[in-house]
Amino acid sequence: MRRHLPSTQALACFEAAARHESYTRAAQELALTQSAVSRQILALEDQLGVQLFRRTRHGVLLTPAGRHYARQVARRLQGLEQDTLDVMAHQGHGGALSLAAVATFATRWLIPRLPLLAERHPEIVVHIETQTRPFLFSDTGFDAALYAGTPEQVANWPGVQAQLLMPEDVLPVCSPRLLEQAAQLSGMPRGTGRAHQGVAPQVLARLPLIQQSTRPHGWRQWFDAMGVQDAPRALDGPRYELFSMTAVAAAHGLGVALMPPMLIEAEMARGELVVACQKPLRGERGYYLITPAQHPPPVLQAFADWLRDMAATG
């Protein structure tokens, strides 16, 4: 069956002309003559049976169909170029993975561990883009995704395999200074290291709390689990969308935050954040590796095996 695929030369000419809305500037960029660009685009329009440009006295303008087609062509040419560069870089060995990931998990947990991937699999390169919602792999260039969600959300993602990497446990954390103030508020003695030993849930209920806008009832759930009914600030306090924002706010003393410890390893190691109460809450959400339903290629399988090992060791 004959495939309806235009030549890459015609597509490159069209993409450049669409981006500039000028045959002249497209020709300059591609080191071609203006007439050569014009011939390629006329041939493309003839093959498609669709007018892509409207000719005017001052040059050319994209038609609505041309504007839509230009977006699709630009995305696919960029992907083809990246695939070509990957093959050239690896000379047929190993390969590159395009990974969709929630931003904070990628920045705080995955990327600091990628040097360990390089030690085990120096032939694998991981490209990461932010993606927070489910998508169809057939409509994107992604090979896999790191997703944060509930089991119900994962079950409703069609055509995929899902591997739970770790649950999203959360702990109350804050700056050392705020915890020291909380200890004084509770009447605890201030012995050496006392400020870092944590306080009772009832004490946290009287402190300023930082809210996560994507989990608006997080503090209420934590207090309920701790048996604290008198928590007037459970729904009050500044709200931030990303855990990375929440971590910075807590480190600067704006309040106590409910955070997954795995996302604040650096702040905890530097002493910028300390555990305010040693009572974790297992949330409804977890972190999953999502892959297409079909059997994974060797490079994706190697990455998945390494990722599970990292999750198992924390």
Side-chain angles (χ1 to χ4, degrees):
M1 179 179 177
R2 182 173 177 270
R3 304 182 70 179
H4 297 281
L5 293 177
S7 72
T8 54
Q9 178 79 335
L11 292 175
C13 288
F14 167 65
E15 189 279 331
R19 186 160 23 89
H20 296 296
E21 284 200 313
S22 167
Y23 287 3
T24 300
R25 293 176 64 185
Q28 293 171 347
E29 178 180 311
L30 300 173
L32 297 172
T33 64
Q34 182 181 6
S35 60
V37 170
S38 178
R39 285 196 301 272
Q40 289 287 344
I41 293 175
L42 286 172
L44 179 61
E45 290 179 323
D46 183 62
Q47 179 179 355
L48 299 176
V50 174
Q51 185 179 6
L52 301 174
F53 287 97
R54 179 166 56 85
R55 283 73 180 174
T56 71
R57 289 187 304 168
H58 304 291
V60 293
L61 293 173
L62 282 165
T63 64
R67 192 172 304 280
H68 173 75
Y69 190 49
R71 287 196 297 269
Q72 305 303 317
V73 168
R75 181 163 60 89
R76 287 172 170 82
L77 285 178
Q78 183 179 25
L80 181 60
E81 181 180 27
Q82 184 62 61
D83 292 341
T84 303
L85 292 173
D86 288 339
V87 170
M88 292 170 63
H90 294 94
Q91 295 295 298
H93 301 286
L97 288 174
S98 181
L99 185 66
V102 287
T104 305
F105 186 75
T107 303
R108 298 291 186 112
W109 189 88
L110 176 62
I111 292 177
R113 288 167 171 78
L114 287 181
L116 300 176
L117 174 66
E119 291 177 6
R120 185 187 298 187
H121 295 291
E123 74 282 3
I124 297 178
V125 174
V126 180
H127 306 302
I128 303 174
E129 294 184 32
T130 300
Q131 188 84 13
T132 59
R133 299 180 182 277
F135 56 87
L136 294 177
F137 280 98
S138 59
D139 292 342
T140 71
F142 293 123
D143 300 299
L146 287 177
Y147 177 68
T150 65
E152 292 76 18
Q153 289 172 325
V154 172
N156 289 328
W157 193 334
V160 302
Q161 299 182 74
Q163 172 69 47
L164 176 64
L165 297 174
M166 61 192 78
E168 190 183 75
D169 295 347
V170 293
L171 267 174
V173 297
C174 65
S175 68
R177 181 174 178 81
L178 183 58
L179 186 55
E180 182 179 0
Q181 294 171 355
Q184 295 176 32
L185 182 66
S186 65
M188 294 173 59
R190 297 181 58 195
T192 303
R194 172 64 65 181
H196 294 184
Q197 291 185 9
V199 296
Q202 292 80 1
V203 176
L204 293 190
R206 297 150 63 188
L207 297 179
L209 304 177
I210 298 174
Q211 306 290 339
Q212 189 80 23
S213 60
T214 55
R215 296 154 180 75
H217 301 289
W219 272 115
R220 185 64 271 169
Q221 292 170 343
W222 187 84
F223 283 121
D224 287 345
M226 301 303 124
V228 178
Q229 299 303 316
D230 184 17
R233 296 186 174 185
L235 300 176
D236 191 22
R239 298 184 181 277
Y240 301 96
E241 180 181 6
L242 301 178
F243 275 130
S244 55
M245 298 177 180
T246 305
V248 173
H252 282 79
L254 292 180
V256 187
L258 278 175
M259 295 285 297
M262 73 183 110
L263 300 185
I264 50 173
E265 294 171 338
E267 287 87 352
M268 298 281 283
R270 294 192 297 263
E272 297 170 359
L273 288 174
V274 294
V275 177
C277 181
Q278 290 284 358
K279 293 184 180 295
L281 174 68
R282 173 150 295 186
E284 300 174 348
R285 297 160 61 93
Y287 292 92
Y288 293 82
L289 173 64
I290 308 293
T291 56
Q294 60 266 31
H295 187 72
V299 63
L300 179 54
Q301 185 63 60
F303 174 75
D305 292 342
W306 170 83
L307 192 64
R308 283 191 290 268
D309 289 346
M310 290 296 100
T313 59

